[in-house]
Amino acid sequence: MNLSLMNPRLLVFLAISISTLIWALYEPLFSYEKYVSFTAIFNYSLFFIIILATAFIVEKTRITAKKPLTLEQFRSEKGTQSQSIYKEAMILASIAMAAQLLWIARMIVLKGVGPLFQMVILNRDFETFKLTVVNKTTMSGVTTLTQLGILAAGMYALYVFGLKNKGRWFIWLFILFPGVLRGMFFSERLAMMEVVIPILVMAIFFHKIRLTLTKIILGMTSFIIFFSVAEGLRSYSYYAKTGVAQGGIYSYGFSRFADYISSSVNHSMAMVDLSNRIVGFPQLLFSSILSVIASEPNSKLGIMTGSKEGQQAFLNVKNSIYSAPDYTNMGFFGSIFQDAGYLYIFYAIVFGTVIGLAYKGLKNYEFSWIIVYPIVFISLLEIYRIPYLFDVRAFYPLFYMGVRYLLLSYEAQKRPRRFTEKVTERSGVEVVYVPKHMRGTSARRS
């Protein structure tokens, strides 16, 4: 049951069916007209059908005859590498911590400790804090390194749960601190989830937590309560004064949770007909690079890549009667359509391929895909709202794992060749290199 509930096709179906049902039935807190048209519903549905179909094909296609590992074989193979995995997790956690501390230091230099305390703790003016402090102290390509904490959490959880090593509470705190701090201090709930979810995924995958229906319901309820409390503490007092929040803090928090979902689906629907977007350069595939060199839509590169048209597509929807006034998310499909128009089919194929490969790699106990899967899992939870897997948040972890895989593959190809050549020169007998975990079978031929 543990593994079947991680099937991305099941998670996509549940996320989209539930979010669309909420959109259809829920009366939003922030009033807007719901957008309904045949064209919108057809394209919205087709986008996710292509994702599901592609993921299914990729999962079921076998490229090599290599047999998948069992859990015991995986532990035997990676057990000898457990210390290197531990060190890698600590290095990644240190980079994430350093990036977070650098961000805080820049805030202190900009505003000072006293004004920050007044703004965030006493006044709880998070909107001003975000606009005048957070957005002005980020360093493109540097502060985003906090996202490597996702990999650190996943690798250390694999080291503890997967390879059965002893976990230490101060290391857990060290890994979790940047994400939790960012979640509380910067009011980014997603940042807190990003470091907690990899740990939960590893605990479930390696049978440290046995899933039951009761635990699933309790987990979902706990998340909704957490979100409601966090949202209530962040903005309830402001909207209570303006008359928007009529009920108590918990009622308001739950309404905001449902509003995030409903408004994202509505924006996605409206984007198809209102954006005036046909096709565009797929910027989201290169968002981290372009955010550094082409952040302005009117720059030369911004014009070449269609940033201005994408921004106008957003404004067409945002300024319409179909947009929730307090929400800027265009939804997963809406953001893709805003970016590339009807090339959303290409995006759907790419996304379906990635989640299909990730699940197949997870079932086959492939180390790289096991570490990447929590990122895929987060993207599936966010699939109604943002294009997480194509966003800057996922760029560094995915880029790091891609480079890591290429380097290790290159080393693995060179090592047997060097070993064979060296022995042949000395003795005239060719010896075939066999990795440690496979030794004990015949490893020599003349």
Side-chain angles (χ1 to χ4, degrees), residues 144 147 285-289 375 388-401:
T144 317
Q147 298 305 105
L285 291 178
F286 313 97
S287 58
S288 289
I289 300 171
I375 303 171
Y388 185 89
L389 207 63
F390 303 118
D391 196 39
V392 292
R393 301 189 79 108
F395 175 78
Y396 273 125
L398 293 178
F399 179 75
Y400 174 84
M401 290 304 297

Side-chain angles (χ1 to χ4, degrees), residues 220-232:
M220 293 175 63
T221 304
S222 298
F223 173 74
I224 293 172
I225 291 173
F226 160 74
F227 183 96
S228 300
V229 172
E231 191 64 52

